[in-house]
């Protein structure tokens, strides 16, 4: 009632202010109707016979409704996209996160494990694990375009901000696995109805192998996993060209070893990728990266041996409903041997070769295509 009276008052005030203009407009309209009344009637008759009677008006109305619905849908989607921003967050590390006592030199309690997250109205939660010396930001381009709910975890002490923070001293690979296990269980508690998919790139795959071992020994800590995607996992020392050199570098004087790594590529594209990689890890805590690489070197067998790889792969497959392992062109010379040995063990429809460079596995177009195919069960 109050709104109606206010509206009437405002209308009266508007008419009073523009009385002359409204009178003039009314007079002109009346004159036009009087002069052109025959033409107006003819126009109405033509409209009725050609538009209304012919169904054109109905067609235009339907088209208008669909256009309005399409516009509204686009507006809703744009608003939804704005809400799906990649955000940076962290898990606090507590003493109760660990079943066993930690060595005195592994100082991780009270620190944070950082991650990126982009929410989505999806039944799938995809968690990505990065390669040696990299971090969650390497997956940000994919996260920006992914339809799934995505999380990328940065390993302990691998953020640039932690490079000179002495609270983040180097830790071993086993403790890294412990921390990631805790993070995954935390995510599953937050999103209990979402299907969990784990994606490992390069030594991120080694972390998946270690997680499978951890969960074998502590099954109560194992989250429910729908699928796993391993991109260029290590097989033995033959696939650890970069890791083996990083494992031997002196964190106090790393320049000489980084220069030697830059000489590995045989093609210009590889050289560009290596330069980008070295530029990235040179800004990290190289003591942390070197410790992780050294543990990896001890974790694998010498060249030509595959027993450990297949044992670890079987553990991964045992905890996942669907597992896929893709290799890049860098692994082409070993791919046929891997497939032949897999078939001897009755393993099929797991391995495939992708004609891309190693670091192209992190590109958004590749990840979007392959992860979507994985979630469709292909």
């Amino acid at each position: 009632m109050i709104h109606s009276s206010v509206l009437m008052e405002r209308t009266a005030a508007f008419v009073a202010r523009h009385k002359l203009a409204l009178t003039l407009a009314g007079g002109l309209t009346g004159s036009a109707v009087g002069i052109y009344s025959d033409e107006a009637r003819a126009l109405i008759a033509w409209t009725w016979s050609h538009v209304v009677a012919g169904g054109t008006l109905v067609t235009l109305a339907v088209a208008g409704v669909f256009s309005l619905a399409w516009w509204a849908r686009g507006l809703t989607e744009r608003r939804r996209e704005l809400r799906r921003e990649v955000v940076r967050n962290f898990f606090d590390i507590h003493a109760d996160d660990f079943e066993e006592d930690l060595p005195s030199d592994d100082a991780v309690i009270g620190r944070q494990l950082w991650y990126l997250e982009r929410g989505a109205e999806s039944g799938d939660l995809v968690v990505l694990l990065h390669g040696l010396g990299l971090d969650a930001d390497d997956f940000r381009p994919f996260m920006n375009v992914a339809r799934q709910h995505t999380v990328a975890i940065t390993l302990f002490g691998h953020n640039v901000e932690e490079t000179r923070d002495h609270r983040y001293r180097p830790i071993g690979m086993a403790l890294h696995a412990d921390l990631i296990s805790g993070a995954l269980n935390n995510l599953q508690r937050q999103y209990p109805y979402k299907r969990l998919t784990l994606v490992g790139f390069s030594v991120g795959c080694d972390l998946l192998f270690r997680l499978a071992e951890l969960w074998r020994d502590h099954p109560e800590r194992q989250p429910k996993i729908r699928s796993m995607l391993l991109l260029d996992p290590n097989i033995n020392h033959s696939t650890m060209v970069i890791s083996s050199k990083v494992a031997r570098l002196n964190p106090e004087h790393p320049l000489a070893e980084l220069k030697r790594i830059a000489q590995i590529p045989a093609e210009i594209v590889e050289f560009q990728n290596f330069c980008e990689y070295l530029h990235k890890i040179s800004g990290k805590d190289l003591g942390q990266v070197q410790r992780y690489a050294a543990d990896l070197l001890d974790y694998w067998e010498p060249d030509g041996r595959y027993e450990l790889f297949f044992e670890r792969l079987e553990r991964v497959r045992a905890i996942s409903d669907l597992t896929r392992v893709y290799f890049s062109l860098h692994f082409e010379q070993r791919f046929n041997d891997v497939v032949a040995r897999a078939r001897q063990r009755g393993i099929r429809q797991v391995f495939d070769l992708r004609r891309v460079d190693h670091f192209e596995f992190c590109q958004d177009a590749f990840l979007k295509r392959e992860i979507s195919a994985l979630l469709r069960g292909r």
Side-chain angles (χ1 to χ4, degrees):
M1 203 63 167
I2 295 175
H3 293 300
S4 299
S5 61
V6 171
L7 180 61
M8 292 177 64
E9 291 175 3
R10 290 181 178 176
T11 303
F14 176 83
V15 171
R17 287 196 305 272
H18 302 88
K19 182 177 181 180
L20 181 60
L22 291 172
T23 302
L24 181 60
L28 291 173
T29 301
S31 299
V33 170
I35 294 171
Y36 298 103
S37 57
D38 293 338
E39 287 82 352
R41 283 192 294 272
L43 178 62
I44 293 171
W46 182 92
T47 301
W48 177 262
S49 62
H50 290 80
V51 177
V52 178
T56 306
L57 187 61
V58 176
T59 303
L60 291 174
V62 171
V65 170
F66 274 103
S67 298
L68 183 62
W70 184 265
W71 173 82
R73 179 179 179 275
L75 182 62
T76 302
E77 185 62 28
R78 285 192 294 273
R79 288 177 176 173
R80 185 180 294 119
E81 287 295 324
L82 289 175
R83 293 196 298 268
R84 292 174 57 193
E85 295 180 354
V86 176
V87 296
R88 190 167 183 257
N89 208 338
F90 61 85
F91 299 113
D92 284 312
I93 304 173
H94 302 287
D96 291 338
D97 293 336
F98 304 91
E99 297 291 336
E100 301 173 357
D101 295 334
L102 299 176
S104 58
D105 60 339
D106 282 339
V108 298
I109 308 303
R111 280 66 167 172
Q112 290 84 35
L113 190 67
W114 290 87
Y115 65 96
L116 298 177
E117 181 173 10
R118 185 173 188 250
E121 296 175 2
S122 166
D124 291 294
L125 172 61
V126 178
V127 180
L128 304 115
L129 302 175
H130 61 78
L132 182 66
L134 303 180
D135 55 56
D137 277 304
D138 292 281
F139 296 114
R140 188 184 285 268
F142 162 68
M143 298 175 73
N144 284 327
V145 300
R147 292 186 177 275
Q148 301 84 18
H149 185 161
T150 52
V151 171
I153 303 175
T154 296
L155 291 181
F156 180 87
H158 279 62
N159 285 297
V160 174
E161 297 87 345
E162 297 158 357
T163 301
R164 294 174 177 82
D165 190 337
H166 297 297
R167 297 175 303 165
Y168 289 85
R169 296 198 299 271
I171 62 173
M173 187 177 175
L175 187 49
H176 280 297
D178 238 329
L179 293 172
I180 297 297
S181 176
L184 293 174
N185 280 282
N186 193 314
L187 288 169
Q188 194 154 77
R189 286 192 297 271
Q190 290 183 52
Y191 310 106
Y193 301 109
K194 295 205 173 191
R195 298 177 295 270
L196 180 61
T197 291
L198 305 182
V199 179
F201 165 66
S202 192
V203 302
C205 302
D206 297 70
L207 195 54
L208 293 180
F209 290 141
R210 289 302 298 255
L211 285 168
E213 294 171 2
L214 172 66
W215 294 330
R216 175 199 59 193
D217 298 334
H218 301 279
E220 73 282 357
R221 299 175 61 185
Q222 178 187 321
K224 182 174 176 53
I225 300 169
R226 178 188 184 275
S227 54
M228 286 195 185
L229 178 60
L230 284 68
L231 303 171
D232 269 356
N234 282 313
I235 299 171
N236 50 46
H237 286 175
S238 67
T239 58
M240 304 183 66
V241 178
I242 298 179
S243 302
S244 61
K245 294 185 179 300
V246 174
R248 290 189 285 267
L249 67 78
N250 181 351
E252 301 298 325
H253 305 284
L255 185 58
E257 197 59 54
L258 294 178
K259 286 181 176 180
R260 279 192 287 272
I261 295 174
Q263 296 174 3
I264 294 174
E267 298 180 1
I268 188 66
V269 174
E270 285 185 285
F271 179 74
Q272 292 170 347
N273 289 331
F274 270 61
C275 287
E276 291 179 12
Y277 172 72
L278 294 176
H279 177 265
K280 189 172 183 67
I281 70 167
S282 64
K284 300 292 183 67
D285 180 352
L286 289 176
Q288 191 82 254
V289 179
Q290 187 272 337
R291 169 70 185 275
Y292 194 62
D295 279 6
L296 286 171
L297 201 60
D298 292 338
Y299 189 61
W300 289 106
E301 299 174 294
D303 298 4
R305 300 185 61 180
Y306 296 87
E307 288 77 11
L308 276 179
F309 170 73
F310 282 106
E311 287 177 14
R312 290 165 180 164
L313 178 65
E314 288 295 352
R315 293 192 192 106
V316 165
R317 295 182 68 206
I319 62 174
S320 172
D321 295 336
L322 179 63
T323 303
R324 293 286 183 268
V325 182
Y326 297 152
F327 293 109
S328 69
L329 291 175
H330 288 274
F331 290 63
E332 189 172 27
Q333 292 182 343
R334 301 167 187 86
F335 180 74
N336 290 345
D337 286 343
V338 171
V339 172
R341 285 172 167 78
R343 288 177 175 174
Q344 292 172 8
R345 292 169 168 80
I347 302 174
R348 293 176 178 270
Q349 297 182 335
V350 171
F351 298 98
D352 210 347
L353 184 73
R354 295 291 187 262
R355 303 201 65 79
V356 296
D357 178 79
H358 176 69
F359 290 101
E360 287 183 71
F361 274 154
C362 287
Q363 291 186 355
D364 54 339
F366 177 87
L367 287 172
K368 183 178 180 180
R369 180 179 66 251
E370 297 296 345
I371 290 175
S372 296
L374 179 74
L375 296 181
R376 291 194 300 269
R378 293 174 55 188

